[in-house]
Amino acid sequence: MNGAHEDTTEFCQTVYAVDDEDYAQNYTPADRNEYEYRTASIYLPKAEFLFTALKSSGVDPHKNAYFDYGAGSGYFVSALLKLGLNNVSGSDVSKSQVDMANRLFPSPRLTCHDINDNHESLATTKSQVVSMIGVLEHLKSPRKALQRLNENPHVEYIFISVPTFSLSVYLEMLDDNVFHRQLHGGHTHLYTEDSLSYMCSEFNFEVIGQWWFGTDLVDLYRQLHINLETNNVSSYIKKDFNKRFLTFLDSAQLELDKQKESSEVHMLLRKKNA
């Protein structure tokens, strides 16, 4: 599923490399405390899921090396380090994000790779576990990245997080005046359970851990709230809407998650020939 922009070489170069400081503003913390808060609240649960999924598969997480591709500002690398995993590194195309992250680590953990290097670092990494958190949907050539991983004899596990075609996308189809979170800007690919299964079959992966959760109900809440504001409803109506909606938001989202209809999924994949 393609988003608002054609996924050309020029588009990727402009968004992630040439104007990387503008893009990086989405992930740049005001200070170290904000960096630590974002790491703990968003990325540590992802790292804990990976850690637990590996252990559940009979793997000692401490005996593996980890490489985070598309590491951005290093939040996931930071989260892995907080779990006591020491052999952790990452790479990103944004020099400004890499430089910022390395200033916060006791010693540099991230390197910068060229956006047009044909995913060379995926072909040459010697890490057993490669993570791509919110990365595949930004790549011009996701198949090439997966092929590189498949051909690398050192890589045994791939941990991904991708946006999915879910209720949120239908909401975006209905209103162009509310920010589109799923199919906007750099999100040029979306996935489904079927397409992920197809991907695993094509590249000889098997799913050994999956975590479906999303923010579809938050997107619905946001869209309704904005439209109530636009239509100048009374403050009483807005307060009543908030009170009612927020009482069931989490439980309703959980039902979507259980049905694998959520706006995001984390998957731990294992190469069948590993």
Side-chain angles (χ1 to χ4, degrees):
M1 171 62 68
N2 282 82
H5 302 285
E6 185 180 354
D7 201 11
T8 62
T9 300
E10 292 77 15
F11 172 75
C12 293
Q13 184 78 30
T14 300
V15 174
Y16 308 120
V18 176
D19 296 331
D20 69 315
E21 291 189 9
D22 289 337
Y23 183 77
Q25 290 301 313
N26 297 314
Y27 303 98
T28 302
D31 52 34
R32 179 177 290 277
N33 288 337
E34 187 176 303
Y35 186 89
E36 294 292 341
Y37 176 78
R38 187 183 183 101
T39 298
S41 59
I42 298 177
Y43 291 88
L44 192 56
K46 302 176 188 294
E48 289 172 337
F49 173 78
L50 171 59
F51 190 98
T52 302
L54 287 170
K55 287 195 70 175
S56 297
S57 299
V59 178
D60 183 353
H62 294 281
K63 292 184 177 180
N64 286 318
Y66 299 80
F67 178 66
D68 190 33
Y69 189 64
S73 299
Y75 290 104
F76 190 63
V77 169
S78 177
L80 292 174
L81 293 171
K82 289 184 183 300
L83 294 182
L85 304 172
N86 296 317
N87 196 345
V88 183
S89 61
S91 181
D92 198 86
V93 298
S94 172
K95 186 177 185 302
S96 61
Q97 291 192 76
V98 167
D99 289 345
M100 185 275 292
N102 281 335
R103 287 194 296 270
L104 294 174
F105 292 130
S107 59
R109 293 278 180 172
L110 304 188
T111 56
C112 197
H113 65 265
D114 189 277
I115 196 171
N116 297 313
D117 72 353
N118 206 25
H119 307 298
E120 185 64 23
S121 55
L122 294 180
T124 58
T125 182
K126 291 183 170 52
S127 298
Q128 294 81 30
V129 183
V130 171
S131 54
M132 294 186 288
I133 307 299
V135 171
L136 280 177
E137 68 271 20
H138 293 283
L139 299 181
K140 179 179 182 294
S141 53
R143 269 194 169 86
K144 174 57 70 174
L146 294 166
Q147 180 185 342
R148 292 294 222 172
L149 288 169
N150 190 45
E151 294 172 349
N152 186 330
H154 298 283
V155 176
E156 299 177 23
Y157 301 93
I158 300 100
F159 182 46
I160 63 171
S161 169
V162 294
T164 60
F165 189 91
S166 69
L167 172 63
S168 290
V169 181
Y170 289 102
L171 296 176
E172 291 172 3
M173 292 179 184
L174 297 175
D175 197 336
D176 289 335
N177 296 316
V178 178
F179 176 75
H180 291 187
R181 187 179 58 82
Q182 287 291 79
L183 279 177
H184 172 82
H187 282 197
T188 49
H189 309 289
L190 291 181
Y191 295 83
T192 64
E193 185 179 15
D194 286 344
S195 70
L196 288 165
S197 177
Y198 184 92
M199 179 192 80
C200 290
S201 176
E202 179 178 349
F203 293 100
N204 206 31
F205 301 147
E206 60 180 337
V207 179
I208 61 171
Q210 53 185 310
W211 179 20
W212 292 80
F213 75 92
T215 54
D216 306 84
L217 265 292
V218 175
D219 289 332
L220 176 60
Y221 168 80
R222 177 168 55 91
Q223 183 163 324
L224 292 173
H225 185 84
I226 289 172
N227 277 282
L228 289 173
E229 289 276 5
T230 302
N231 289 328
N232 296 314
V233 301
S234 68
S235 59
Y236 173 83
I237 289 294
K238 285 187 287 187
K239 288 179 181 178
D240 187 64
F241 164 73
N242 288 341
K243 181 179 70 174
R244 291 168 179 264
F245 200 100
L246 295 179
T247 59
F248 63 80
L249 188 153
D250 284 343
S251 58
Q253 181 64 53
L254 182 58
E255 291 306 311
L256 288 178
D257 299 344
K258 289 178 181 177
Q259 297 299 321
K260 299 181 180 178
E261 291 288 350
S262 52
S263 60
E264 183 180 1
V265 61
H266 290 68
M267 282 187 167
L268 179 60
L269 313 175
R270 177 169 56 199
K271 290 164 67 172
K272 290 183 179 179
N273 58 349

